[in-house]
Amino acid sequence: MMTKLLISRRAVLAAAALAAPALATRGARANNLEKARAAGELLVATELHFAPFDFTEGGRQVGMNSELFAEVGKALNLRIRFQDLPWPGVLPGLEAGRFDLVAGPATITRARMERYRFCAPIADATVALLKRASDASITKPEDINGKTVGCAQATAQLTQLQNFVRDKGLNVQIREYQSFSETYADLAAGRIVAVANSLPNIAYVAQQRRVFSVVNPPFGAKVYFGYLGRKDAETAPLLDAIDGVIDAMRGDGRLAALQTKWFGQAFEVPARVVEANA
């Protein structure tokens, strides 16, 4: 009887030992890359009013983001599903876990790096001014003194404009808009004299709409654009994988080709931003 009891106990312990790895795996929390692969898609938030990165043309999404993420989707074997949101709601939505990644892209700043993790940079984001080409009163950034300038709400470009005005002691009325599309409309209508935005964006707008021109030189600190995700262990494998795709594109020239297509020129960008300039 005792022998049978010992054998029974040993059998139970052996079965438990065999089941333990399976139970541990079942109970482990899947990371975001594993979740995306299980779902077959990557959910990416963006704003479709930020040409040439993301905008609509003929009722469909176009721009550098959609083409770059097509490469990401191909490399990671994932379908990319974009969610269009007003920019002020994008970062709070990321923190709430409503999507996997933000593809604004966003300017890489010190404050954001403390809160989020950025992927490898994809473009220059230095801030400059866009004006009406016929406006001879603005030939350098300081010429906005005494005038009204537009910028989008809750953006790093707005912060740089505010810092520039403060540091130079200028008297500038800054008008905030929900999107940059609205700033360009008011600039064309003469309700503001300039728009502060990153150089790739306004260079594209000036190229498409000859009524505008870029004011040189740019006034902002040297900064870069990048995609971003949550700064946690669950998101790290996903961002590592996307970094690998962007690194490959930078190395084989595909990133430079996309920059030239959408900005009219290629930008030298670092492999990683370790310390932001703004």
Side-chain angles (χ1 to χ4, degrees):
M1 184 72 175
M2 182 64 70
T3 304
K4 289 183 179 178
L5 184 59
L6 287 172
I7 293 172
S8 177
R9 283 179 179 171
R10 284 175 187 161
V12 170
L13 289 171
L18 289 171
L23 289 172
T25 302
R26 196 178 304 161
R29 186 174 179 179
N31 65 54
N32 288 354
L33 179 58
E34 292 169 339
K35 290 178 182 176
R37 283 177 169 155
E41 68 177 16
L42 186 66
L43 184 55
V44 181
T46 190
E47 180 195 17
L48 293 179
H49 296 278
F50 200 54
F53 290 100
D54 249 333
F55 60 109
T56 56
E57 193 172 79
R60 67 184 187 92
Q61 178 185 4
V62 293
M64 182 175 176
N65 284 352
S66 61
E67 295 194 16
L68 194 151
F69 271 94
E71 297 294 322
V72 171
K74 190 189 309 178
L76 302 184
N77 195 28
L78 289 171
R79 180 172 64 254
I80 307 298
R81 182 157 65 93
F82 285 96
Q83 183 173 350
D84 178 27
L85 293 170
W87 182 252
V90 169
L91 295 182
L94 175 68
E95 294 181 13
R98 289 199 288 272
F99 29 81
D100 302 306
L101 199 72
V102 168
T107 305
I108 304 175
T109 65
R110 283 190 294 269
R112 285 174 175 167
M113 287 179 71
E114 290 174 1
R115 194 161 188 169
Y116 310 103
R117 175 179 157 182
F118 280 89
C119 294
I122 61 162
D124 192 310
T126 305
V127 181
L129 293 170
L130 183 72
K131 67 165 189 172
R132 290 186 300 281
S134 60
D135 187 354
S137 70
I138 301 177
T139 60
K140 58 185 183 302
E142 291 80 2
D143 290 339
I144 60 175
N145 190 40
K147 300 178 173 69
T148 302
V149 176
C151 196
Q153 297 171 349
T155 61
Q157 291 88 341
L158 175 61
T159 300
Q160 290 216 41
L161 174 61
Q162 291 167 334
N163 291 344
F164 174 71
V165 169
R166 182 200 63 214
D167 294 345
K168 292 289 184 178
L170 304 179
N171 176 27
V172 176
Q173 181 181 350
I174 299 174
R175 189 170 297 170
E176 298 181 26
Y177 295 80
Q178 190 172 45
S179 73
F180 278 106
S181 296
E182 294 169 324
T183 68
Y184 303 142
D186 268 13
L187 178 61
R191 287 186 281 269
I192 54 178
V193 300
V195 170
N197 198 358
S198 294
L199 189 56
N201 303 84
I202 58 176
Y204 175 82
V205 172
Q207 185 180 45
Q208 298 297 308
R209 302 172 65 180
R210 299 295 182 177
V211 293
F212 297 139
S213 65
V214 177
V215 179
N216 283 305
F219 67 81
K222 187 70 171 178
V223 289
Y224 299 94
F225 277 127
Y227 305 130
L228 60 88
R230 290 180 293 279
K231 198 174 186 179
D232 54 39
E234 287 77 21
T235 306
L238 172 62
L239 299 186
D240 288 343
I242 294 172
D243 275 345
V245 178
I246 296 174
D247 288 345
M249 293 179 67
R250 187 176 59 253
D252 63 21
R254 282 177 293 161
L255 182 60
L258 281 180
Q259 291 171 344
T260 301
K261 175 179 179 178
W262 291 107
F263 310 139
Q265 62 178 329
F267 297 105
E268 287 288 336
V269 292
R272 302 288 183 275
V273 172
V274 179
E275 186 176 345
N277 295 322

